[in-house]
Each structure stands twice: as structure tokens, then as C-alpha cells.
């Protein structure tokens, strides 16, 4: 082979004469272009498979749009810092680099960050100053750097590393990290490649911007038609946005349709008066507005007709291949549709004046006063003792009738907040099919299968009436919303796959949600879509707050922006995060925000503790409200022991085989009572799952997301376990009472507020609330023994003074002040029976 035919920059070891390469010399394999991306429409980066060692710069072509770059330079280190988190300087020093603005959830002013890996014993590096990153500037950007000798880091090759905080919180990797390495168990670290030290990244500048609607590629200059690599847009592209109103907008006798589709070549609107007219639907081509500040990527058309109640959908055309491909034949549901016929569309044009406003007169309870219950629309009403048709029991109207009934279960339980599982449009296949709802297709429209006449958008009025009914019962309504992924069909995928979805370095959709895709919530218009839908739910339906499913995938920085936007509309909006995903956990990153978090550590600990596991120290931490790392303020932790996911409480803790708690044992019941006592004595927001108070069982089944038969509440069980239901209701009443104010804190109490007494022989524990009398003279004493033998706690004479304490409750019941029952005295050595607890009050 003539060396002149090799791609420029590829070389072979020979004597320099064409055709005279020695067989004794090894041939250096050709460099490959691995990937390329744009940092702006006219600048970007080309990544090679290994460092470039040639004396001259490599030569590339960008096709007809730009045969050659107008500028080309090896990366100075910043791009290697962003993509690989390391590089080697020209001086030979090795640099670890972390760019906080690129996806990590840390505060350099607060968090000490260390680099840990195979070379320094991993966790042993935490706290050692020689491995701590320092704040520096790199190419004008604030970064965290570690600089040191390269030899022990490059040899042996393939050493792994990761960044970790001083609190041993390991920082996750971006989805597109090219040097990520998985261990097969879901753990990912970065790898140091001695052949990729920063010289494999080349920055280019083009004389004119590339058209994002076209297929853009880069190749070696002397092989333009071979091994071409697509060029994908990066951060600037995800910052594209518009502040124009979107969706179908009715303005008198005019209807305007607008869709944000920044890479589309064409958008076609289809519309018809009803479903019968869909085969002959009218068509209109939308026109792209000129890109300008605040108006980029928008397609629109104004029709001189009031189309309220009409059906509509889009088809979006663009490039047909690669990671950003379009499907011009796919009917696409408008993400801003205010009502839909079913999960795959079409949307329904609604005049916002017709929608009106939801109930905004209700005063949302303060967070620290909340007692919540998680529930599913159909689970609550399926077997409810209320007059309703089969169709009504499938959705909003049936549940509204149950809420308004004198016998409404949650009213008698005493909670003041209901968290409804998803009610936005999701991908159930039939109206009758049961579904939890965590595969949403549209974030504005009420679930069509919960509506009596979805073709007339009746779900709008029905959901408004349901929320108003809950408010009439004194209950706030929090919606479980799913913004981290979308259901099938993934309509956003056909509007712009690159813009709306996270992808890995190979261009494949990431799947940290476990549902096939992850929404790129940090894209400007994805973020706006989330915010706009939440605002719509507040204004149009009177929703009090939101619980964000798998919020780790949304990210702490985006959650902060969502919080700011929603509090402008409703200052007391309830915001709760499920702070994890399969990728990681961000509860610690949310402690300086106005978000509360589901506390999975609390859930797991209490399940273990009531079965004799755990420690008194662990229980003390959770009774205090999981302070500081998890919760900076008390209501920032949502304490729970059962939710829709996985097995229900009684099936987890039952002594029965097969985790089937449908016929609970006496110990199962006692342990449930202990759990209730701990839950309602813990600082934070207590949350139950519907039916947990009457020992609801799913017969040991772990995942019941399609099992309406197992999930529907059997209210006969409430009367079968009436004493347990009553025990929960009494605890809730106490929690919300004047005495219970010692458990409801806006801000974290001083250390002296608590006095804990441990037992050396067991995990039994006693605690005095308001021990320092910082909140008046009343004090509470709570003691618990979760073991199968009696336990004694040495309270000492100071606490056990005769007549100072009056018992309010034990592990079986609450006692009226006029009770004649024998009550347990508070003695210097307080004895608690097996699986026992007690609550006392002192007003002295």
C-alpha cells in the first residue's frame, strides 16, 4: 500500500521511501474519528480514538457545507475535563478535573471533593488533603482541579477513579461519559486511558454555521466519503428556547397552533371535528418563525376559525437516519394539548376560558402540619360503599362521590393531604385496563380513561370537581407527576429525539428510569414544559403540590428552577421529590432547596427495627427527623414505610411464609402498631399508603402495577382489623392536636429539645420531647421495645417523679383522660413488654 493513500495523520514505521516499509517495523493502526459535536452552530470538537502525536495537525472535511474548518486547534484541557474528567498538561503533570456546572450536584463552597480510585485506596482518600480538589479557573471556567505526577496514574493503564464528597457521597457520571466503565452490578466509574490524555480532542471553527436540520458529518480530508461520523449538537442546542405561548390557542374566531421543533424540516397539522372525520382530516403546513431571541425553533399557523372541541395532531419531518432521526408518518400528540382522546392522541382543542379555574380558595396546610396518604384513583373507589356505576368507579366521578360520602374512609382516618398516583394521560391500552400511571404521554391532559366522556374532554370538569371535593374535606391534593421519562408512544421522541432525551456516548437512549428512556429535563424547553404543566395543574385544577417521580433524573439544579417558578404562582406549593433513580441519589443535594424528599432510609430502617433489627442510635436519628445531611429542616423528610412500589408493609414484615400478610399474625399486628407509633412520633411529614391502617395485603406480590384486583382497597378488611385502623386514626388525631405541636416543627429544634435514654442490652429506647421546655411547659415521653423480650430503661429519678406523667397511649390503644384502666407508671427503671411502646405527657 502506498502511504500516500492512508488517511492524513495515520502513519507507518518505515525508511521513508514509498513502498519500502520494513517488515521488521510495526505498523501504527490508522487513527479513527470516534465522535464529533457542536459547541455552537459554527464551533465544535472532534474526538479521535487516541492521542494525536503527529507534527502537523490532522485535516478534516465537513462535506459540502464546509469542506475544511477555518480554524483547528488541540484542546487546551477544558473539553477533556468536561468529557473525561482528566488530562495531561504539556508540562507532563496529570490533572483530575470536575466541572460542577456540567451535571454534578455539588456546591464547591460547601462540599469538600476528593478524587478516589485504584491508585489511592478509594474511600481511604476521603479526608486526605493530598487528594482534595481545589477551585481553579480553566479557560475562563470555574473548575475543581487536582494536579500531580502522572506516572503512577498512567501505569498500570486502565485505573479507575471517581469523585466523592467529604461525607462519602459518590458523584455520578454524565450519561455520555466516554470513559465510563460498569462493573455489571450497576456501578460505574471512570477509567484512565494512557492513550487518551487530551491530545485526542480537537476544537474546530467553521466559516459558516451548520444547518441543524440537515445531516452533518465530519471525515478525514482525503477520505471524505469513508468512515464519516455524524456531528451532534451539544449545550447550545439544549439552550434553544421560545417564550411564545405553545399548543392550540383559541382567540375568539381564530385558533393558533404552535409547536417547538428546532431540527424539523417540516411540520404538518391535521385536524377534524370528530373521530369519524379522522380519515378525511384537513391538513395545513406550519411555517417556521424566524429564529430570534426567545423565539427559536417554533413552527406555527393561525387559522381563522374557532376550533374549540376539534381533534388535532401533527406529523414532523426531518433527517431520516442517525440518533436524531424523525418519522414523518408518525401521528404526534401535541405536548401542550389540554385534553386528549386517548394516550396516542389525538389532542382536543380547548379554549382556556372554557376550562376556567380550579378551586383556589382552599388554604394548603403548612408542610409541618401535613399527614399524608398515598392513593390510586381506582383503588380508593373500586369497592367503596357508595352508589356509583361501573363507569364512574373507573375514575374521577366515582371517587368524587366517595369523597363526598359521609362514610369516606380517609376522612375518618383523619389525614389532611392525599397524594394521588398519576392522573395525567398515560399509556393504558383500554379504558378498562388498570395501570398505576407512571408511563405518561401528556402532562397537561387529565387521564382519559378516568373520564366518562373523553371525546368531550369531560375529564377537565371531573378532575376539577374531584379536587374541590377533597378540599371540602379539608384535604390538600398532591399529584404524583412523572417527568423523568415518557410512555408509549413517546411523542416527544418524534418531535426531537436529540433535544428531549438523554443519550449515551453511542447515541442510544439512556434508561436510568428503567422505562426505556430518560427525559433531558435540563433542555430549556423540556424544563419549560414541566413548569408550564405544573402551573396549569395549579391554576386550572387547584392542585396543592407535586411529588416528582425519580427526581434524581430531573436533577437538583432543574428542581431549584422549578421551585422558583412554581412559588411565583403558589407560594405554599408542596414540593416532594423521590430523590433517587437507578443512577443515584440526590437527597443531600436538595437540603438547601425548598424540596422535601421521600426518605427511603427511614422506610428500610423501620421495617427492620420493628423486627428486632437496627439500633437505638439509628432510631434516634430518624425520630429527630433525619437531620442535616438528609433534611436541613424537619418537613424536608417525608417519612413512610409503604408506598405503591414493591411489597406492601404487612407483606414485608409478616411472619407468614411467602410474604403473604393477608392473614396477619398477632406479632404482625403488634409490629404494625409499633411502626405507627414511631412514624407519628418522628419529626418530618408522616405518610401512609391507603389501606396500610387496616393491614392491606397484596398476597406477597412484589410488583402490582397492572393488578387492580390486588390493589383495590377491600373495605371489609377495615372492619376486620378495626382496632388497628382506630389505633392509626387516634395517632393521627394526636399528631394534629395541640399536644402534637411538639412534633410539628417549622425549623429544626435545638439539641436540648430531645433527651434520649438508651439500653445497653437492647435497641429499646425512650425519648423526652421538649426536654428543655423551649416550647412551653408540656413534655412528651415516648418509649419503645421492638424485641421479643421485656426491656428495662433506666430513666433515673429526675424523669420518674411520682405524678409527673400521665399515660396517653400504649401499643394497643389511646386512653381517654377519664379512663379507669390500669396505666403503666413512669418509674426510675421503666419496663416495657415485648413488642411494646408507651406515650406519656407531663404538663409540669
Amino acid at each position: 500500500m502506498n502511504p500516500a493513500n492512508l488517511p492524513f495523520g495515520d502513519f507507518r514505521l518505515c525508511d521513508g521511501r514509498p513502498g519500502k516499509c520494513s517488515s521488521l517495523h510495526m505498523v501504527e493502526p490508522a487513527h479513527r474519528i470516534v465522535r464529533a459535536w457542536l459547541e455552537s452552530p459554527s464551533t465544535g470538537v472532534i474526538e479521535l480514538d487516541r492521542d494525536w502525536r503527529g507534527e502537523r495537525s490532522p485535516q478534516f472535511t465537513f462535506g459540502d457545507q464546509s469542506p475544511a474548518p477555518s480554524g483547528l486547534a488541540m484542546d487546551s484541557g477544558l473539553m477533556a475535563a468536561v468529557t473525561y474528567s482528566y488530562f495531561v498538561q504539556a508540562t507532563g503533570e496529570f490533572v483530575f478535573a470536575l466541572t460542577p456546572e456540567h451535571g454534578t450536584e455539588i456546591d464547591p463552597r460547601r462540599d469538600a471533593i476528593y478524587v478516589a480510585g485504584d491508585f489511592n485506596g478509594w474511600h481511604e482518600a476521603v479526608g486526605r488533603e493530598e487528594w482534595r480538589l481545589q477551585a481553579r479557573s480553566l479557560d475562563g471556567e470555574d473548575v475543581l482541579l487536582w494536579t500531580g505526577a502522572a506516572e503512577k496514574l498512567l501505569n498500570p493503564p486502565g485505573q479507575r477513579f471517581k469523585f466523592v464528597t467529604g461525607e462519602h457521597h459518590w458523584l455520578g457520571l454524565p450519561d455520555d461519559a466516554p470513559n465510563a466503565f460498569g462493573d455489571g452490578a450497576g456501578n460505574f466509574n471512570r477509567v484512565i486511558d494512557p492513550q487518551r490524555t487530551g491530545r485526542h480532542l480537537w476544537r474546530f471553527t467553521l466559516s459558516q454555521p451548520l444547518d441543524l436540520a440537515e445531516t452533518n458529518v465530519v471525515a478525514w480530508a482525503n477520505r471524505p466519503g469513508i468512515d464519516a461520523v455524524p456531528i451532534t449538537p451539544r449545550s447550545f442546542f439544549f439552550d434553544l428556547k421560545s417564550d411564545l405561548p405553545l399548543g392550540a390557542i383559541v382567540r375568539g374566531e381564530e385558533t393558533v397552533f404552535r409547536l417547538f421543533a428546532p431540527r424539523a424540516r417540516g411540520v404538518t397539522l391535521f385536524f377534524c371535528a370528530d373521530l369519524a372525520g379522522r380519515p378525511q382530516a384537513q391538513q395545513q403546513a406550519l411555517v417556521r418563525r424566524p429564529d430570534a431571541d426567545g423565539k427559536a425553533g417554533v413552527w406555527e399557523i393561525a387559522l381563522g376559525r374557532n376550533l374549540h372541541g376539534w381533534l388535532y395532531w401533527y406529523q414532523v419531518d426531518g433527517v431520516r437516519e442517525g440518533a436524531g432521526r424523525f418519522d414523518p408518518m408518525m401521528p404526534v400528540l401535541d405536548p401542550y394539548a389540554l385534553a386528549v382522546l386517548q394516550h396516542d392522541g389525538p389532542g382536543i382543542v380547548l379554549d382556556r376560558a372554557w376550562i376556567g379555574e380550579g378551586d383556589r380558595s382552599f388554604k394548603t396546610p403548612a408542610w409541618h402540619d401535613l399527614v399524608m396518604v398515598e392513593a390510586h384513583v381506582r383503588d380508593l373507589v373500586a369497592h367503596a360503599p357508595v352508589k356509583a356505576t361501573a363507569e364512574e368507579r373507573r375514575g374521577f366521578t366515582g371517587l368524587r362521590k366517595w369523597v363526598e360520602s359521609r362514610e369516606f374512609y380517609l376522612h375518618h382516618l383523619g389525614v389532611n393531604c392525599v397524594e394521588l398516583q398519576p392522573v395525567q394521560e398515560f399509556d393504558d391500552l383500554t379504558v378498562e385496563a388498570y395501570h398505576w400511571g407512571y408511563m405518561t404521554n401528556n402532562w397537561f391532559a387529565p387521564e382519559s380513561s378516568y373520564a366518562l366522556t373523553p371525546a368531550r374532554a369531560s375529564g377537565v370538569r371531573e378532575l376539577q370537581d374531584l379536587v374541590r371535593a377533597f378540599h371540602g374535606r379539608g384535604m390538600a391534593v398532591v399529584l404524583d407527576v412523572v417527568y423523568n421519562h415518557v410512555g408509549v408512544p413517546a411523542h416527544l421522541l418524534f418531535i426531537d429525539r436529540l433535544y428531549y432525551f438523554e443519550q449515551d456516548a453511542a447515541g442510544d437512549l439512556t434508561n436510568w428510569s428503567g422505562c426505556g428512556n430518560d427525559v433531558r429535563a435540563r433542555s430549556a424547553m423540556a424544563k419549560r414544559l414541566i413548569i408550564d404543566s405544573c402551573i396549569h395543574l395549579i391554576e386550572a385544577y387547584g392542585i396543592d403540590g407535586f411529588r416528582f417521580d425519580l427526581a434524581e433524573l430531573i436533577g437538583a439544579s432543574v428542581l431549584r428552577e422549578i421551585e422558583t417558578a412554581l412559588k411565583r404562582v403558589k407560594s405554599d406549593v408542596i414540593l416532594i421529590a423521590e430523590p433517587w433513580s437507578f443512577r443515584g441519589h440526590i437527597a443531600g443535594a436538595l437540603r438547601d432547596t425548598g424540596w422535601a424528599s421521600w426518605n427511603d432510609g427511614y422506610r428500610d430502617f423501620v421495617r427492620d427495627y420493628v423486627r428486632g433489627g437496627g439500633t437505638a442510635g439509628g432510631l434516634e436519628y430518624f425520630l429527630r427527623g433525619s437531620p442535616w445531611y438528609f433534611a436541613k429542616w424537619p418537613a424536608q423528610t417525608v417519612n413512610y414505610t409503604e408506598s405503591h412500589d414493591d411489597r406492601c408493609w404487612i407483606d414485608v414484615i409478616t411472619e407468614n411464609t411467602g410474604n403473604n400478610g393477608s392473614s396477619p399474625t398477632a406479632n404482625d399486628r403488634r409490629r404494625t402498631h409499633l411502626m405507627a407509633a414511631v412514624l407519628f412520633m418522628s419529626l418530618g411529614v408522616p405518610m401512609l399508603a391507603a389501606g396500610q391502617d387496616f393491614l392491606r395485603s397484596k398476597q406477597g406480590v412484589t410488583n402490582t402495577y397492572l393488578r387492580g384486583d390486588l390493589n383495590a382497597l377491600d373495605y371489609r378488611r377495615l372492619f376486620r382489623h378495626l382496632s388497628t385502623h382506630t389505633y392509626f386514626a387516634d395517632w393521627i388525631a394526636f399528631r394534629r392536636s395541640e399536644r402534637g405541636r411538639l412534633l410539628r416543627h417549622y425549623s429544626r429544634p435545638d439539641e436540648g429539645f430531645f433527651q434520649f435514654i438508651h439500653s445497653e442490652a437492647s435497641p429499646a429506647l425512650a425519648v423526652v420531647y421538649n426536654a428543655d421546655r423551649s416550647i412551653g411547659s408540656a413534655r412528651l415521653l415516648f418509649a419503645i421495645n421492638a424485641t421479643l423480650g421485656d426491656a428495662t430503661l433506666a430513666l433515673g429519678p429526675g424523669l420518674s417523679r411520682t405524678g409527673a406523667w400521665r399515660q396517653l397511649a400504649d401499643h394497643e390503644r389511646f386512653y381517654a383522660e377519664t379512663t379507669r384502666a390500669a396505666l403503666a407508671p413512669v418509674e426510675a427503671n421503666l419496663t416495657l413488654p415485648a413488642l411494646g411502646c408507651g406515650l406519656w405527657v407531663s404538663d409540669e
Side-chain angles (χ1 to χ4, degrees), residues 23-46:
S23 61
L24 297 178
H25 292 87
M26 295 183 63
V27 176
E28 178 74 13
H31 277 78
R32 290 185 300 106
I33 301 173
V34 176
R35 58 178 180 161
W37 61 90
L38 292 173
E39 293 293 309
S40 77
S42 58
T43 62
V45 178
I46 299 169

Side-chain angles (χ1 to χ4, degrees), residues 185-201:
N187 303 307
F188 285 84
N189 302 299
R190 289 187 184 268
V191 171
I192 300 172
D193 184 350
Q195 295 193 67
R196 300 183 186 187
T197 64
R199 298 177 62 90
H200 63 304
L201 298 172

Side-chain angles (χ1 to χ4, degrees), residues 648-663:
C648 59
W649 163 265
I650 197 65
D651 290 346
V652 169
I653 63 100
T654 184
E655 296 175 321
N656 296 331
T657 58
N659 290 102
N660 188 341
S662 56
S663 297

Side-chain angles (χ1 to χ4, degrees), residues 642-707:
E642 178 187 333
S643 70
H644 61 278
D645 278 325
D646 303 319
R647 291 191 177 103
C648 59
W649 163 265
I650 197 65
D651 290 346
V652 169
I653 63 100
T654 184
E655 296 175 321
N656 296 331
T657 58
N659 290 102
N660 188 341
S662 56
S663 297
T665 69
N667 283 349
D668 293 345
R669 178 179 167 278
R670 282 282 283 270
R671 288 179 171 123
T672 299
H673 285 207
L674 295 186
M675 175 273 293
V678 170
L679 180 67
F680 294 112
M681 290 302 292
S682 299
L683 269 60
V685 177
M687 186 187 81
L688 297 171
Q692 190 174 6
D693 55 293
F694 53 81
L695 305 178
R696 171 203 195 187
S697 171
K698 299 180 186 178
Q699 300 176 24
V701 178
T702 300
N703 189 354
T704 60
Y705 78 107
L706 297 177
R707 296 293 302 275

Side-chain angles (χ1 to χ4, degrees), residues 85-101:
S85 286
Y86 75 88
F87 61 94
V88 176
Q89 294 178 321
T91 59
E93 287 188 299
F94 194 96
V95 179
F96 286 112
L98 179 62
T99 53
E101 64 274 27

Side-chain angles (χ1 to χ4, degrees), residues 7 127 308 314 334 512 683 724 754 823:
H308 173 77
Y314 297 112
D334 183 1
W512 294 110
L683 269 60
T724 296
F754 297 100
L823 302 179

